[in-house]
Amino acid sequence: MSVNRFEMTLPILCAAPDVLAPMIDACAAAAVIIDIRKDWLTGPLDAAQAASDAAQAFLAQRQPQAGATLFRVGAPDDEAGQAAIERLLALRPQGFVLSGCSGAADVQKFGVMLRVAEATQGIEPGAVALVAELGEDTAFIFSATSFKEVSQRLKAIIFDGQGSARATASQAYNGAAARSGAPLLLARAAAVIKAAQAGIACYELLEEQADDPQTIREIALADGFSGVVARNAAQLAALAGA
């Protein structure tokens, strides 16, 4: 059995399952990223199972014609991680967002784990999409390795500016210079360039407190991004209504 072919429709929303549940009607036409990266590897019978159950409950409410649904997870590297991927793949998402991705090697490794999980779940090989989220691990900034042809399942890049600011211990906005901080500018540019080299879309993940998503989207588009990803209902509504 295969999952639906992946399509990253706009607008896009990224939030935890408990935040998404009350928004089921608002995000009916949006691509939804279910953020379970904090809990998905805690253990099969506690927080990880709770995250899986919450994600399943949300998926059960989505209409079949709704936009793509992806799981936002961290990089797994052991048998527990493989088992967690297989458990989540049984819910039939269209793809995964690999948070904290450091470069092409992480994409290749996660792709192998997805291939094993697809075989276990009886899903067509390569049917599950992968989106690389850059920012939290700054190794991608200086990597000379391109994402081009690294994996056929790699469909897009998401840039997490908040994660990049934390990783570089820098301010997102340099007040003295009246512009974005230099580390953030460098990381944003690197993400856009990586996506352009690979011929895939690149989206910017909004900050949780961003209150003017339309203006931020216009800036992102001018900087080479394909769009932005909302973090809450207000941002989603503003982007959907623009």
Side-chain angles (χ1 to χ4, degrees), residues 18-225:
D18 58 338
V19 176
L20 289 169
M23 299 170 56
I24 187 67
D25 293 333
C27 62
V32 173
I33 300 170
I34 305 178
D35 187 358
I36 56 173
R37 59 183 181 153
K38 292 182 180 179
D39 298 327
W40 79 297
L41 286 176
T42 311
L45 299 178
D46 40 55
Q49 187 61 54
S52 178
D53 291 345
Q56 184 174 19
F58 174 78
L59 283 168
Q61 297 180 67
R62 294 209 83 189
Q63 297 299 319
Q65 69 272 22
T69 303
L70 302 90
F71 291 125
R72 186 189 191 203
V73 299
D77 58 3
D78 54 19
E79 293 183 2
Q82 183 67 54
I85 292 174
E86 293 173 9
R87 181 170 58 244
L88 292 172
L89 209 56
L91 303 180
R92 297 303 194 264
Q94 278 73 37
F96 285 79
V97 174
L98 180 58
S99 182
C101 181
S102 65
D106 284 350
V107 171
Q108 291 175 322
K109 183 175 182 179
F110 196 77
V112 170
M113 299 180 81
L114 281 178
R115 186 167 67 246
V116 172
E118 286 170 336
T120 301
Q121 295 297 329
I123 295 174
E124 178 184 345
V128 179
L130 178 58
V131 175
E133 182 187 307
L134 307 179
E136 192 173 90
D137 188 327
T138 58
F140 79 94
I141 298 175
F142 302 104
S143 173
T145 304
S146 170
F147 283 101
K148 185 176 182 180
E149 298 179 355
V150 166
S151 171
Q152 291 187 347
R153 70 172 79 239
L154 180 64
K155 304 300 183 183
I157 285 173
I158 290 177
F159 174 67
D160 176 15
Q162 281 188 178
S164 180
R166 287 193 300 267
T168 58
S170 62
Q171 295 293 318
Y173 185 79
N174 184 333
R179 57 160 172 74
S180 299
L184 181 58
L185 288 174
L186 177 61
R188 288 180 84 247
V192 170
I193 292 170
K194 292 288 186 184
Q197 289 175 335
I200 57 179
C202 188
Y203 302 93
E204 184 166 25
L205 182 62
L206 295 178
E207 294 184 9
E208 295 176 6
Q209 305 305 318
D211 57 4
D212 189 3
Q214 294 186 38
T215 297
I216 296 173
R217 177 174 58 187
E218 291 176 3
I219 295 171
L221 292 173
D223 284 342
F225 287 91

